[in-house]
Amino acid sequence: MQVPSPSMREAASMYGTAVAVFLVILVAALQSSAPPESPFPYRISLDPEGSLELSWNVSYTQETVYFQLLVQELKAGVLFGMSDRGELENADLVVLWTDGDNAYFGDAWSDQWGQIHLDSQQDYQLLQVQRTPEGLCLLFKRPFGTCDPKDYLIEDGTVHLVYGILEEPFGSLEAINTSGLQTGLQRVQLLKPNISIPALPSDMHSMEIHTPDILIPGQKTTYWCHITELPDGFSRHHIVMYEPIVTKGNEALVHHMEVFQCTAQFESFPQFSGPCDSKMKPDHLNYCRHVLAAWALGAKAFYYPEEAGLAFGGPGSSRYLRLEVHYHNPLKIQGRRDSSGIRLYYTATLRRFDAGIMELGLVYTPVMAIPPQETAFVLTGYCTDKCTQLALPPSGIHIFASQLHTHLTGRKVVTVLARDGREREVVNRDDHYSPHFQEIRMLKKIVSVQPGDVLITSCTYNTGDRKLATVGGFGILEEMCVNYVHYYPQTQLELCKSAVDPGFLQKYFHLVNRFNEEEVCTCPQASVPKQFASVPWNSFSRDVLRALYGFAPISMHCNKSSAVRFQGEWNRQPLPKIISKLEEPTPRCPASRVQSPTSPTVVSIGGSKS
Amino acid sequence: MQVPSPSMREAASMYGTAVAVFLVILVAALQSSAPPESPFPYRISLDPEGSLELSWNVSYTQETVYFQLLVQELKAGVLFGMSDRGELENADLVVLWTDGDNAYFGDAWSDQWGQIHLDSQQDYQLLQVQRTPEGLCLLFKRPFGTCDPKDYLIEDGTVHLVYGILEEPFGSLEAINTSGLQTGLQRVQLLKPNISIPALPSDMHSMEIHTPDILIPGQKTTYWCHITELPDGFSRHHIVMYEPIVTKGNEALVHHMEVFQCTAQFESFPQFSGPCDSKMKPDHLNYCRHVLAAWALGAKAFYYPEEAGLAFGGPGSSRYLRLEVHYHNPLKIQGRRDSSGIRLYYTATLRRFDAGIMELGLVYTPVMAIPPQETAFVLTGYCTDKCTQLALPPSGIHIFASQLHTHLTGRKVVTVLARDGREREVVNRDDHYSPHFQEIRMLKKIVSVQPGDVLITSCTYNTGDRKLATVGGFGILEEMCVNYVHYYPQTQLELCKSAVDPGFLQKYFHLVNRFNEEEVCTCPQASVPKQFASVPWNSFSRDVLRALYGFAPISMHCNKSSAVRFQGEWNRQPLPKIISKLEEPTPRCPASRVQSPTSPTVVSIGGSKS
């Protein structure tokens, strides 16, 4: 890695004239393994300008991802890789760089200061380097797991891809620091499930449910409620697909959108279009809670499985729909107009099963809170055996898709199914969850839930930048822990969530006061958020809150569509007892390890001056 | 691994006649790396009969252990390896076995049911197989860490070696289950420090301090106190070495022994030889607490560094010594006589420094307790900055040896040095600590402690087989957490230990009562052990106890030799604040990995019938 003779300046100028525009690159020692036969089905632009285009494919049998990186205008090199949350420090990288004479390709990593080092084990394997009319095209592969402690483990869920542009030659890899480069990140689900888009019916129609060119309020958080009606005499249909319509320019403001159907118990609903917390909002709108479609930042179109569709229209079903749009406007921009919403695709030819959406996780209540300055605090919501026993059909339900949802401090979300006290399988897990990338994801494997099963949803939060406790609630600065699961056949159960018993939380405030000999407001008049705000956050108050959430009884919301609980006692319920947990996924090392070079691959540069 | 033709029975008989007695084995494909030049300095018998003898050497530059296993009478094969605590399940093994035709050597592991599997990565590397007059001699090596998740990580501290004898051929490796074999374990410090035995003075003498042929009491726990005297006019000497004298046949009963010197403030001490808790014991004996020598089960002779010795005798020093022998007699054997003790080797030619022994860790008090059914509960004792500031000389002290001590549930012990709130270095760590193997160990590197430094000693306990809380105390069924550190130059500080503030523990009992709505005896009349015995052990009471120990102020014992505290306020002291911790030792993968076969090595068998 020592550059032989020419000084850096000479090298740079040599490079400028001879290499920058260069051309045919021949790879010295390419491995024999051929790329998979199919082309690359997934493609994304890494940078806003679209000059770095990544295509990829996944081989589940080889547990390997094949990457094709197209660099439109190569300067002195490029960095590409992955990191926990999209940072360029502590990243797992491939680097194509030049010292002015030769070009190199190497598996590298960046330390906490952004300095690049070569991996002791070369797990990114270069397969081909090709000059195409579009640019330089690098083909390489990487196993999901490598057992190199410096490598990123490629898992299900969100992957934060990172890139950097090298503008000039570097004498050595170690001379590169990511802090001086033009860099960026892009979030993707790298391990896309092997599921093809279901066939769409020939008699498919569409309708748009959107806000009527409204003025987005100049405040941080707005939930906009808009009432609309299905056509008169609209018969029973199945929604088979839907997609977002986001008004151009408002992409950063529209945080999530949901379409709810109103209850059939009222003949009609008043017209309304305004903030959901407005005093003008008719009370009736609280009866519009049956979810028809849900979209959040980062998601694309959503398809139902071929055997199921979401029913709407027809007798016994209300003609009234409520669109809810959550505008997140931290800069309090004024005067922006918006007509965002959702486009539903539906068919009159009903599919075999009605599909449904169910909310799992935590109730939106301040009793569930995260202390400040926590880097990985876990809150857990339960859908108990008692609720599934009561609400699910004897043959159970089948979950085929899931959308995880938290607000800004969410870092991981997982839902696990437990039966007879034992965790059985993961419904959906994202260990690199980002609130900025809330796709609805098809599950790799449909998960069947039987009556009596327990669904446990845990969210991990990072409140490292907060000074006060973060309580549960609707505001963007409050938190949620929700998994919207999409399933069939539809049941009456729409909400299966929990929160700690409020009485036990009051005991907690009392004991914190007792141990700290300080003033904590335990007076019943104070609101729970105010009580949390006055807790002195030391190791004891943190640990005991964690212990409380792992021990105290819970209040269950086991609710039907109409915001009505199923009959039964749902307060002070015992926490589900789990006697055996699923094993943590251990990184599997590739069974047979290729003897890998511990030095970068030299890519010999030929070429002609331009 | 498929056996070709002959049936198992045929194979076994073939093996019996043709193979069992003979023995020239040629290794098919040995790697080129030569064993280190020096012979094997460490040797131990693995089995009680001495038919399996292990010798080994450590290369710290290669981070590799070289093993030589001598199998005196090879039957059909042998298993050798390591496991967390000496169990044959979940063990990391090398297996030499035969299917009747061929013999094989492979790196393997046993699962939780004891079934053997071949490792996907072969990290034990066979170097030589040789028939010698003594038996079959296998030479192989293993890096400390391998990155194979099925492999044991060889670390400092205790290593539990395991073995098994194969009596008959097996059709395949997978057919072997350790549960059917003759097996056993042996504890060793595998990574011995690279320190040679210090030169001993030519004018060395010895004396024996032992019990006078006493009758060991037929009770579980006895601390025997025996007073003896130095010869009249015995001048100042340095102890340079000492070794245990254990009466033959009592090896399992003698748990640990210490020799204390009495205080010089009394002219003379009464004769006494009896249980330390006897009502007949003279009160004066409480003034015999200056440690001269300490031995515990598993230790060998102890040598002082050449520049230091332990002073005794001469003016200002008492002629009276107290020997304390801890007899552990769980079977309550009656009528056994004992004269165990310690043999001191000393010189009149004083060395440059006086050495000392200091006790770090937890005070022997029931306020520090471990809930039942915990597999890894941690208790921590502190030697605070305030105490070291007061008691250590400006130039600090130098720790050269350490003896870790717990009772039966201890599983790990570690002492860390912290300075300015940051953990700096490990004084001694044993992640596979066993109370049955309490050696005094020389440190690989002398650790210097400055005034104002903090020494943090943590013990991890497994109370999985206990029904009630295990409290701190002297009994073998109670627990201790102690690190006896050997250092120079000697100071007055003999004991630097802590325990939780008793007042905060009472708050704990109160809150447990409040949260559980059950009867917990919080009356001040009840003893702390009784209060702990009545705690309902659920997740909350466990977690809050853990939180309490991590938060509540401590009582410090910052004591001089004479059981007298240094002057100052030592109650309700704040816990030392640690803002940065040492990183957990991460298993380093060998930098350049040898391309390793994923199948066992065939060792071709030639030979002659006997």
Side-chain angles (χ1 to χ4, degrees), chain A residues 18 24 156 196 208-209 222 228 231 233 270 425 460 473 528 548 588-589 597:
Chain A
V24 185
D156 290 341
S196 47
E208 292 187 359
I209 317 289
T222 303
T228 179
E425 60 183 313
T460 306
V528 167
L548 179 88
R588 270 224 285 156
C589 311

Side-chain angles (χ1 to χ4, degrees), chain A residues 507 517 540 551 593 595, chain B residues 507 517 540 551 593 595:
Chain A
K507 291 191 191 188
E517 294 157 22
F540 190 72
F551 170 75
R593 188 182 292 276
Q595 184 157 20
Chain B
K507 290 190 191 189
E517 294 158 22
F540 189 72
F551 171 74
R593 189 183 291 278
Q595 182 155 20

Side-chain angles (χ1 to χ4, degrees), chain A residues 416-492:
Chain A
V416 170
L417 180 144
R419 185 173 295 157
D420 303 327
R422 293 172 187 278
E423 292 187 359
R424 301 298 177 112
E425 60 183 313
V426 169
V427 176
N428 193 9
R429 171 197 293 274
D430 195 342
D431 280 352
H432 303 273
Y433 171 84
S434 165
H436 307 294
F437 191 55
Q438 306 190 356
E439 294 182 303
I440 297 179
R441 290 183 181 143
M442 304 301 293
L443 302 187
K444 284 191 174 155
K445 187 185 152 290
I446 285 182
V447 174
S448 297
V449 185
Q450 307 296 331
D453 286 355
V454 177
L455 292 160
I456 305 165
T457 301
S458 294
C459 295
T460 306
Y461 302 94
N462 182 335
T463 57
D465 61 350
R466 301 269 170 109
K467 291 222 170 96
L468 292 173
T470 299
V471 296
F474 289 93
I476 191 70
L477 292 175
E478 299 171 330
E479 267 305 342
M480 293 188 171
C481 178
V482 180
N483 184 352
Y484 298 96
V485 292
H486 298 244
Y487 71 96
Y488 65 86
Q490 190 184 19
T491 69
Q492 283 198 296

